[in-house]
C-alpha cells in the first residue's frame, strides 16, 4: 500500500521543482548509466494516472515515458476506448532512470525513487491509478498474487487529508502484449481491452462528479 509519508521530504515542491530534483538525483546506481531522467508527462492535475516499470532505450534518449514500441501500443490501447493520451492521462514509472539492458528495477532502485513517485501522485491528484505490469504492481502491493491473477481487479487506497479514495487497477504491460499475437476472447490483448473499457467507464463516472 502507499506510504504517503515517504514524500514528506518533497512536500514543498511543485511539479517543475520535483522534475528539477529528479534530474539531479544521484540516489542509486542508475544515475551512472542514464542519458536522461524520465520523470513523467501529461496534464497535472489529472483524473487518470498510469505507472509503468521504467524507461527503455527510447525513453532514456528522449526523456519522455512510453515513446517506444510499448508506448505506441499504449497510445492505441487508450485510444481504442476513447482516452486521449495527451489530454486525459499523466504517465510515470516506478523508477525514473533506465535500468541497464531494460532489466527489471531492483528493490534499492525502486526505493530510491519511491518518494518522488508518491509526490507525483499527490501533485497529479488522480482518481484512478493504473499499474502496468508485475514490477509496478509489486511496488505498490508487495504481497499481491501474480499480475495474471489480479489484473482487471479494483484495489483501493485512502488519500490522506481527503474524503476521496484512489481506485487502483493492475493491467498487463504493453511490452508483454507486444509478444502476444492473439486477440481471441480470453487472450491477454482481449483481456486488456476489456479492462480498459471498465477503466473508461470509471473515468467517465468520476468526471461526472468533478
Amino acid at each position: 500500500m502507499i506510504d504517503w509519508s515517504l514524500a514528506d521530504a518533497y512536500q514543498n515542491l511543485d511539479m517543475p521543482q520535483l522534475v528539477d530534483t529528479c534530474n539531479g538525483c544521484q540516489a542509486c546506481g542508475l544515475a551512472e548509466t542514464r542519458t536522461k531522467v524520465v520523470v513523467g508527462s501529461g496534464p497535472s492535475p489529472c483524473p487518470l494516472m498510469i505507472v509503468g516499470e521504467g524507461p527503455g532505450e527510447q525513453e532514456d534518449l528522449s526523456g519522455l515515458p512510453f515513446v517506444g514500441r510499448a508506448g505506441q501500443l499504449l497510445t492505441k490501447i487508450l485510444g481504442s476506448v476513447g482516452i486521449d493520451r495527451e489530454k486525459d492521462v499523466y504517465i510515470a514509472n516506478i523508477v525514473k532512470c533506465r535500468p541497464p539492458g531494460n532489466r527489471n528495477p531492483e528493490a534499492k532502485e525502486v526505493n530510491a525513487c519511491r518518494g518522488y513517485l508518491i509526490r507525483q501522485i499527490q501533485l497529479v491528484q488522480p482518481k484512478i491509478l493504473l499499474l502496468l505490469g508485475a514490477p509496478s504492481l509489486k511496488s505498490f502491493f508487495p504481497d499481491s498474487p501474480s499480475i495474471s491473477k489480479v489484473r482487471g481487479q479494483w484495489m483501493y487506497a485512502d488519500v490522506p487529508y481527503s474524503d476521496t479514495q484512489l481506485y487502483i487497477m493492475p493491467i498487463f504491460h504493453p511490452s508483454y502484449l507486444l509478444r502476444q499475437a492473439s486477440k481471441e476472447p480470453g487472450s491477454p490483448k482481449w483481456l486488456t481491452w476489456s479492462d480498459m473499457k471498465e477503466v473508461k467507464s470509471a473515468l467517465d463516472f468520476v468526471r461526472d462528479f468533478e
Side-chain angles (χ1 to χ4, degrees):
M1 192 53 68
I2 300 173
D3 182 356
W4 300 98
S5 67
L6 293 174
D8 286 353
Y10 312 109
Q11 285 302 305
N12 294 327
L13 301 183
D14 60 18
M15 189 65 80
Q17 292 168 331
L18 183 66
V19 171
D20 288 343
T21 300
C22 291
N23 283 334
C25 181
Q26 299 288 324
C28 75
L30 295 182
E32 300 174 4
T33 57
R34 72 187 180 215
T35 303
K36 290 185 178 180
V37 178
V38 183
V39 182
S41 68
S44 177
C46 187
L48 175 62
M49 182 172 176
I50 293 177
V51 177
E53 176 181 330
E57 181 180 10
Q58 295 303 314
E59 291 77 15
D60 178 61
L61 293 173
S62 68
L64 296 171
F66 284 91
V67 294
R69 291 182 64 221
Q72 294 167 15
L73 179 56
L74 176 61
T75 301
K76 291 180 180 179
I77 291 170
L78 293 169
S80 72
V81 295
I83 297 176
D84 187 317
R85 171 173 171 162
E86 299 300 322
K87 298 178 180 179
D88 298 331
V89 59
Y90 184 92
I91 303 177
N93 286 298
I94 58 173
V95 295
K96 311 304 183 192
C97 301
R98 181 193 181 193
N102 292 353
R103 61 164 171 74
N104 288 343
E106 297 175 355
K108 60 184 178 182
E109 297 160 352
V110 174
N111 289 335
C113 276
R114 199 180 300 275
Y116 299 145
L117 177 59
I118 293 173
R119 182 57 182 156
Q120 280 181 291
I121 295 172
Q122 292 175 335
L123 291 167
V124 174
Q125 302 173 43
K127 301 295 191 300
I128 300 169
L129 185 67
L130 294 187
L131 306 180
L132 303 187
S136 182
L137 169 64
K138 293 294 185 179
S139 175
F140 285 86
F141 300 95
D143 299 325
S144 171
S146 67
I147 185 97
S148 61
K149 293 182 178 180
V150 299
R151 54 124 292 272
Q153 298 181 21
W154 287 111
M155 304 173 178
Y156 309 94
D158 292 323
V159 181
Y161 312 112
S162 171
D163 294 331
T164 63
Q165 273 192 324
L166 181 60
Y167 292 81
I168 305 171
M169 181 186 285
I171 64 174
F172 291 128
H173 196 286
S175 62
Y176 170 71
L177 298 178
L178 285 172
R179 302 190 294 271
Q180 310 298 318
S182 175
K183 297 182 180 178
E184 295 298 316
S187 67
K189 285 185 175 178
W190 185 90
L191 291 171
T192 299
W193 181 63
S194 177
D195 294 342
M196 290 305 303
K197 288 193 294 182
E198 184 167 346
V199 169
K200 180 57 164 61
S201 295
L203 182 61
D204 290 342
F205 178 80
V206 298
R207 279 176 164 165
D208 287 341
F209 290 91
E210 288 184 344

